[in-house]
Amino acid sequence: MPADGGIGAPTKRREDVRFLKGTGRYTDDLNRPGQAYVFFLRSNVAHGRLKSVDTSAAAAMPGVVRVFTGADFEGVGGIPCGWQITDKHGEVMQEPAHPVLAQGKVRHVGDPIAAVVADSLEAARDAAEAIEADIEELPAVVDMKAALQDGSPKVHDDLTSNLCYDWGFVEENKAAVDEAFANAAHVTTLELVNNRLIANPMEPRVAIGDFDQAGGNSTLYTTSQNPHVIRLLMGAFVLGIPEHKLRVVAPDVGGGFGSKIFHYAEEAFCTFAAKALNRPVKWTASRSEAFMSDAHGRDHVTTIELALDGDNNFTALRTETHANMGAYLSTFAPSVPTWLHGTLMAGNYKTPLIYVNVKAVFTNTVPVDAYRGAGRPEASYQLERVVDKAARELGVDPIALRRQNFVTEFPYATPVAVEYDTGDYVATMDKLEEMIDISGFEARLAESKKRGKLRGLGVNCYIEACGIAPSNLVGQLGARAGLYESATVRVNATGGIVVMTGSHSHGQGHETSFPQVVAEMIGIDASMVEIEHGDTANAPMGMGTYGSRSIAVGGSAMVRATEKIIAKAKKIAAHLLEASEADIELKDGQFSVAGTDKSVAWGDVTLAAYVPHNYPLEEVEPGLEETAFYDPNNFTFPSGAYACEVEVDPETGKVTIESFAAADDFGNVINPMIVDGQVHGGIAQGIGQALLEACVYDEDGQLLTGSYMDYAMPRADDLPFYAVDHSCQTPCTHNPLGVKGCGEAGAIGSPPAVVNAVVDALQRAGKTNVTHIDMPLSPSRVWAAMNQ
Amino acid sequence: MYAFDLERPTTLADAQAALKSDEAQPLSGGQTLIPTLKQRLAMPEKLVSLTAIAELQGITKEGDTLTIGGATCHADVAADGSYPALSALAGQIGDPHVRNRGTIGGSLANNDPSACYPSAALASGAAIVTDRREIASDDFFTGMFETALDEGEIVTSVRFPIPERAAYVKFDQPASRFALVGVFVAKTADGVRVAVTGASEGGVFRWAEAEAALSSDFSPAAIEGLTVPSDDMIGDIHGTKDYRAHLVGVITKRAVAAAG
């Protein structure tokens, strides 16, 4: 292993030095010469007809450069959706137009009506107040089921209804599933809400448009998880700028959690306005704007039914979900409740028959899209809650019921279209039981009771699909793009390496973990390898970071490119050593001739590549730079078992997490410290969803949780120390590193563990009528459930 | 934020003079006013800062009376310790930034229905001293965000009689960590006073039944069975009216237990 850390080393994150010292370079740190600032006038009503927008007074205000409205974007494309779902009748989804600035109607609080560009932000804000927007307020629809009723207000007048699609999966199995339910010995039913969340990355979104009149080139600096995707979507579908005339740069990005995947109107506006005005235009979201313009997450309402035979084997599963799309279709929105949710409904279990129905619904709310886990937390939560409820109804141990139904043979083809390549659910459950001291629970319960507190233990499993995704598969499923990843490995003359990758790091630690792989392969120090990402001018076309795909897909591309480098370097070494290429071995950065003491160092070979004085020019080109694109042939399937122990204050309903344990199988691990950190962060977000976070609208579509005064984020003292283990490793069978991905696991596995634990605590205290409480399990909700 | 003029007088007289203009508004720690200005929800022409005035600063103890200057920040009160329940309350307000900027006079004058300080002033029977008069705490808090202060009147100090026993228990609103319900209990030779914040649409209030019960038996058991009507309670996404009414009893018991 390289002295400063190869594969498997807990190397400290090199990027943290600049982040912790305040020397990170975020988009808002960038300022272009002569830049102007834009302020968006946003709708304060959820639904209304735009009768007129008079900008004349605003345009005359001091410092104002120009005021734009929806009329300026006639003939410009709308914000596109990247995924098309075909519904259960074979019809394609209803896809409304999404103009950059509102045209005709406003459809949610925060919908941009006009944009004021001025010499300063204050001047832009002052002028925005002088805009006269005459809006005829219309009745708003927020509740999904109400939105599907006849006579409901229509979010989009030109669509037939508020139903985006009605998806059945797998439609051909429905009759068999229904029959299995008719024949079941026991059926457990649960209705639940997966609460709407706001991602709240530490860094709000920022966009700077820049235009080089001399060359006719546009540049967008933006807070994105995938700059190439933004270049493609914005260039091709919105502004009509060919990719060779458009550069997108996403420098240091302070967290995304999904919310910075999508192409947003503000990005298109700044790029458009910079060209129109021949002047850089900058937008920095305030936190209040972030609450009402960043895509929200989750927001599913589900009824799930589990059928069991007389021996407690799962025989069928049936779900009906309403999924909120918000007012427009965000980039990935249609795929979240379908292909990222329906395909995971088998979970860790060999349930033979599954039918999933999803109705996606337009409402007068902010668009909803992928948020850490994206569809998989929703699937896991339903399944692990209904299994827990079934165990209680049947009077069997919830862990034993799970074990009895585990998939144990791999590869395993689920009835919901995916094939798990590998896994060992028994091993992670064994590990979990070892970590949590179940036999000591009764004593801990008694101790809590002495202090007047209730105590409960919740256990669950999860499976997820990462490494998104095989392009040929997602193409069949409605993706309008491929989902490969790319890497260029550029070796310099003196042996140092720059890897340019399409994977974007916005907190994941790629700058540390990616070099560990290359260093290990060549046998040089990791400090000789640098990662560049986030600039379409440097990195080859890549699809970016989401779905825990970076190491599994981007890392694999980097491995393939490094293999090409090594193959070429061996040719050069063979020439230098006057040996046959087949006899060259690479170890610890030395090329040697097998069976001899003849060798040449990595640096000698790289120098020869760029100073080809003694070089086989007729056989090998000079230089040492290779590119690879990697497209996986399957998803990866991380899995695990989680446990949570809680105390509940019966007088106030307040839940305290006493302990939390996670036993994960991520396959091979590159940097275990970074993996620990990813799991910790994921669990914190999952506990946030389970106990604290909720995005709430009132019936008129006003956002009641528009600031941190009302939107409860988890804080350090809400969280316990976690016991985290990833020693159970069944390597992925189809990517070169055997890795699976760890970024979302914590957020997927933890909500059901918390809710199972709280319900367990109440049940043990004799509250046998409490079989479920919807998240977040705030003190008032738990108290209400106990006193219903 | 809209543009405004800022004056930073060093004497009370200069502050009073500066506040004579109709469009002037006093600024103490700014923990409510500055966010309001940033949201462009207020448009004062002039702010008169009170934090550079020496006579509004500092804490003095004479016998059983603690006098706190109106512009004294929460962190200073938290560190003082001569009225332990009051210091404990101050140490739980907001975060270190808030505690080093926010002031007792500013908090009392704002009378946020979820703020902590009003309950301490009311339960302790404190006197709010202004540049014009002295106002008993029973007369000071007149409703949500409303006080007996006149326009331009400045809270110069707050005088707390230190009780025999006292405690403040706060049950946090999960997002803001203001009081969902906060109860301050103070026992003196004259009896017991119980002040509740966070719960009522009328702002901080005294719970007379609990005071009567505790004056004859200062123990958590004395609260058993007592209830406040839920009609006047705040009901919002963090708790219904019934939940808050229930919490008033629970948190009062805990405050009595904490007072020992």
Side-chain angles (χ1 to χ4, degrees):
Chain A
M1 184 187 285
D4 59 352
I7 291 175
T11 310
K12 282 192 181 168
R13 294 180 9 140
R14 57 172 79 165
E15 52 268 66
D16 284 350
V17 176
R18 73 174 189 277
F19 295 152
L20 295 175
K21 286 182 173 174
T23 52
R25 198 164 165 77
Y26 296 91
T27 308
D28 191 52
D29 295 325
L30 306 177
N31 292 294
R32 306 301 301 161
Q35 76 190 6
Y37 298 81
V38 58
F39 179 80
F40 291 96
L41 175 68
R42 295 180 184 277
S43 176
N44 57 13
V45 301
H47 196 194
R49 199 167 304 286
L50 266 180
K51 296 172 79 175
S52 66
V53 184
D54 181 355
T55 62
S56 52
M61 299 267 290
V64 172
V65 179
R66 189 172 154 189
V67 184
F68 294 81
T69 67
D72 294 294
F73 287 82
E74 305 279 356
V76 175
I79 304 301
C81 177
W83 208 294
Q84 185 178 68
I85 297 299
T86 303
D87 79 2
K88 66 183 187 187
H89 308 296
E91 306 275 325
V92 298
M93 67 186 189
Q94 297 208 75
E95 190 171 359
H98 184 183
V100 174
L101 296 175
Q103 294 172 351
K105 267 173 65 163
V106 288
R107 296 184 176 87
H108 65 85
V109 168
D111 209 359
I113 297 168
V116 183
V117 179
D119 292 335
S120 72
L121 182 58
E122 289 302 309
R125 286 190 74 168
D126 287 345
E129 290 177 7
I131 294 173
E132 306 246 356
D134 183 5
I135 300 175
E136 175 197 347
E137 197 168 345
L138 300 169
V141 62
V142 172
D143 179 78
M144 288 189 276
K145 289 177 184 169
L148 295 183
Q149 280 169 8
D150 289 343
S152 162
K154 268 164 65 175
V155 179
H156 296 276
D157 299 345
D158 53 338
L159 303 186
T160 57
S161 70
N162 292 318
L163 181 68
C164 177
Y165 55 75
D166 185 359
W167 187 71
F169 185 64
V170 175
E171 197 59 31
E172 293 73 34
N173 294 350
K174 187 171 187 304
V177 170
D178 291 345
E179 191 184 335
F181 271 90
N183 297 328
H186 184 85
V187 174
T188 297
T189 304
L190 186 58
E191 286 178 39
L192 41 75
V193 174
N194 205 290
N195 40 328
R196 179 186 273 242
L197 303 176
I198 303 175
N200 281 303
M202 198 178 288
E203 177 204 30
R205 288 189 296 119
V206 183
I208 307 169
D210 201 355
F211 182 67
D212 162 31
Q213 198 176 31
N217 298 309
S218 292
T219 302
L220 169 68
Y221 302 88
T222 184
T223 48
S224 175
Q225 302 177 209
N226 32 234
H228 287 94
V229 174
I230 303 305
R231 186 181 63 166
L232 177 62
L233 291 177
M234 185 177 78
F237 297 99
V238 189
L239 300 180
I241 307 174
E243 285 165 280
H244 66 287
K245 304 299 281 181
L246 175 60
R247 175 183 170 205
V248 177
V249 185
D252 284 336
V253 173
F257 313 109
S259 70
K260 292 175 183 166
I261 298 171
F262 324 119
H263 175 42
Y264 286 97
E266 295 87 354
E267 295 172 318
F269 177 83
C270 288
T271 309
F272 176 88
K275 187 173 180 181
L277 302 170
N278 190 26
R279 186 172 172 183
V281 174
K282 181 173 188 173
W283 171 70
T284 301
S286 68
R287 185 59 69 181
S288 304
E289 271 185 298
F291 273 91
M292 62 173 117
S293 69
D294 290 4
H296 293 173
R298 314 281 193 260
D299 205 351
H300 287 191
V301 177
T302 295
T303 300
I304 181 168
E305 300 165 281
L306 175 66
L308 301 95
D309 68 15
D311 297 322
N312 297 340
N313 297 309
F314 303 164
T315 56
L317 189 72
R318 190 165 57 189
T319 72
E320 185 189 21
T321 289
H322 287 76
N324 206 333
M325 295 286 104
Y328 303 99
L329 286 179
S330 179
T331 309
F332 275 2
S335 71
V336 174
T338 51
W339 300 108
L340 294 172
H341 159 258
T343 54
L344 271 297
M345 281 314 306
N348 306 61
Y349 311 110
K350 53 193 177 199
T351 315
L353 289 163
I354 298 175
Y355 179 73
V356 177
N357 175 239
V358 178
K359 295 175 177 70
V361 185
F362 294 112
T363 60
N364 292 114
T365 63
V366 168
V368 181
D369 206 326
Y371 167 73
R372 202 170 192 169
R376 292 151 288 165
E378 294 90 324
S380 190
Y381 180 66
Q382 296 162 40
L383 188 56
E384 294 300 318
R385 285 290 302 121
V386 82
V387 169
D388 228 57
K389 189 177 182 218
R392 206 171 293 289
E393 287 174 356
L394 295 164
V396 299
D397 175 58
I399 297 178
L401 182 63
R402 287 179 167 87
R403 285 180 178 273
Q404 175 185 341
N405 286 282
F406 274 162
V407 172
T408 52
E409 286 174 25
F410 297 88
Y412 174 75
T414 71
V416 276
V418 294
E419 182 176 284
Y420 302 161
D421 60 336
T422 182
D424 188 344
Y425 311 143
V426 174
T428 45
M429 185 58 85
D430 287 348
K431 173 57 74 179
L432 183 78
E433 291 202 43
E434 188 186 310
M435 293 164 76
I436 61 175
D437 181 24
I438 292 183
S439 60
F441 178 77
E442 290 297 331
R444 298 192 292 277
L445 177 70
E447 198 275 329
S448 295
K449 208 169 169 184
K450 242 187 264 174
R451 288 182 288 105
K453 297 293 196 317
L454 318 181
R455 198 176 187 100
L457 172 66
V459 173
N460 63 274
C461 313
Y462 78 87
I463 182 147
E464 61 153 331
C466 294
I468 292 170
S471 294
N472 56 5
L473 179 59
V474 296
Q476 291 168 32
L477 305 184
R480 287 165 167 164
L483 287 174
Y484 50 83
E485 197 45 85
S486 66
T488 292
V489 176
R490 176 176 295 163
V491 183
N492 295 311
T494 53
I497 297 172
V498 177
V499 179
M500 285 155 283
T501 168
S503 295
H504 186 276
S505 183
H506 40 282
Q508 292 87 349
H510 296 172
E511 291 171 43
T512 302
S513 57
F514 278 36
Q516 290 178 248
V517 174
V518 175
E520 176 89 26
M521 290 176 72
I522 299 172
I524 54 175
D525 283 353
S527 63
M528 290 176 67
V529 186
E530 197 83 15
I531 300 300
E532 273 188 13
H533 63 87
D535 187 344
T536 61
N538 298 339
M541 175 74 183
M543 298 310 291
T545 292
Y546 40 82
S548 304
R549 70 194 301 271
S550 292
I551 199 68
V553 190
S556 295
M558 181 178 66
V559 168
R560 292 286 183 246
T562 306
E563 286 169 353
K564 291 184 192 179
I565 291 284
I566 291 171
K568 184 173 177 183
K570 280 184 173 176
K571 283 192 169 82
I572 302 169
H575 175 80
L576 296 176
L577 291 164
E578 297 177 331
S580 160
E581 187 190 329
D583 293 335
I584 301 297
E585 292 174 346
L586 171 61
K587 190 168 182 254
D588 297 336
Q590 292 282 325
F591 295 90
S592 56
V593 182
T596 74
D597 60 356
K598 286 169 64 179
S599 74
V600 60
W602 167 253
D604 296 327
V605 172
T606 62
L607 190 65
Y610 288 96
V611 187
H613 295 164
N614 168 22
Y615 198 85
L617 284 168
E618 60 285 355
E619 294 164 29
V620 188
E621 289 175 15
L624 201 50
E625 174 167 327
E626 298 287 351
T627 294
F629 287 74
Y630 179 83
D631 204 315
N633 63 28
N634 194 358
F635 294 93
T636 66
F637 296 95
S639 62
Y642 281 27
C644 177
E645 217 166 289
V646 297
E647 268 191 357
V648 179
D649 180 342
E651 289 187 318
T652 65
K654 185 172 170 61
V655 175
T656 313
I657 310 253
E658 294 298 309
S659 68
F660 200 101
D664 292 293
D665 175 1
F666 296 132
N668 293 335
V669 164
I670 308 301
N671 183 322
M673 186 201 67
I674 288 178
V675 170
D676 284 352
Q678 288 289 313
V679 176
H680 286 193
I683 295 172
Q685 278 181 297
I687 291 175
Q689 172 166 28
L691 294 184
L692 293 157
E693 296 184 47
C695 172
V696 183
Y697 284 93
D698 73 9
E699 59 192 14
D700 297 324
Q702 289 295 326
L703 181 59
L704 296 180
T705 52
S707 80
Y708 294 128
M709 290 297 283
D710 289 299
Y711 189 90
M713 292 292 283
R715 306 185 204 191
D717 66 349
D718 293 314
L719 305 167
F721 284 94
Y722 312 113
V724 168
D725 181 279
H726 33 81
S727 62
C728 299
Q729 297 181 349
T730 58
C732 170
T733 58
H734 56 79
N735 65 43
L737 290 166
V739 293
K740 295 184 177 178
C742 66
E744 297 159 295
I748 295 168
S750 53
V754 175
V755 179
N756 287 350
V758 173
V759 172
D760 183 60
L762 301 194
Q763 288 276 338
R764 285 174 192 273
K767 302 284 180 189
T768 51
N769 60 332
V770 182
T771 55
H772 180 69
I773 308 173
D774 274 325
M775 302 186 289
L777 274 57
S778 61
S780 62
R781 283 192 181 183
V782 174
W783 180 81
M786 293 179 72
N787 292 282
Q788 66 193 355
Chain B
M1 200 178 276
Y2 299 105
F4 56 85
D5 293 326
L6 177 68
E7 286 198 36
R8 203 165 152 73
T10 54
T11 68
L12 190 57
D14 286 350
Q16 286 170 318
L19 283 167
K20 287 239 160 62
S21 125
D22 280 353
E23 302 303 325
Q25 203 175 329
L27 169 71
S28 194
Q31 296 307 289
T32 300
L33 183 53
I34 298 293
T36 306
L37 295 177
K38 283 184 173 176
Q39 301 243 11
R40 294 191 160 205
L41 296 173
M43 209 168 156
E45 271 182 18
K46 181 163 77 177
L47 291 182
V48 180
S49 169
L50 304 178
T51 52
I53 303 168
E55 58 198 291
L56 299 189
Q57 291 286 344
I59 303 169
T60 54
K61 188 182 174 207
E62 279 175 41
D64 285 336
T65 301
L66 190 71
T67 304
I68 301 174
T72 306
C73 71
H74 310 329
D76 288 349
V77 177
D80 179 70
S82 38
Y83 182 174
L86 185 68
S87 292
L89 173 149
Q92 292 175 57
I93 299 173
D95 57 24
H97 301 81
V98 169
R99 292 197 285 276
N100 281 286
R101 296 294 307 176
T103 68
I104 189 167
S107 174
L108 294 178
N110 191 45
N111 194 20
D112 186 308
S114 302
C116 297
Y117 263 135
S119 68
L122 189 57
S124 305
I128 288 89
V129 183
T130 76
D131 58 337
R132 298 171 201 179
R133 57 187 165 146
E134 203 174 297
I135 310 170
S137 59
D138 280 323
D139 302 325
F140 184 80
F141 303 105
T142 55
M144 187 184 270
F145 294 111
E146 285 178 10
T147 68
L149 290 172
D150 290 330
E151 203 65 32
E153 189 171 4
I154 298 170
V155 176
T156 54
S157 68
V158 188
R159 218 167 53 228
F160 289 90
I162 302 176
E164 292 166 10
R165 294 194 226 164
Y168 176 67
V169 172
K170 173 166 75 161
F171 190 82
D172 290 347
Q173 192 258 54
S176 68
R177 295 200 176 180
F178 275 66
L180 192 71
V181 169
V183 178
F184 201 106
V185 174
K187 182 177 187 300
T188 66
D190 298 335
V192 177
R193 290 168 69 107
V194 176
V196 180
T197 189
S200 169
E201 287 185 337
V204 67
F205 70 95
R206 284 175 67 184
W207 187 12
E209 283 168 281
E211 291 183 353
L214 290 166
S215 292
S216 55
D217 172 17
F218 192 73
S219 76
I223 306 298
E224 289 296 347
L226 298 185
T227 54
V228 292
S230 61
D231 305 354
D232 298 336
M233 297 288 113
I234 297 169
D236 61 19
I237 59 171
H238 304 292
T240 58
K241 288 170 178 277
D242 285 345
Y243 181 61
R244 278 190 172 80
H246 164 77
L247 278 184
V248 170
V250 172
I251 302 305
T252 302
K253 269 195 292 183
R254 292 183 182 184
V256 172

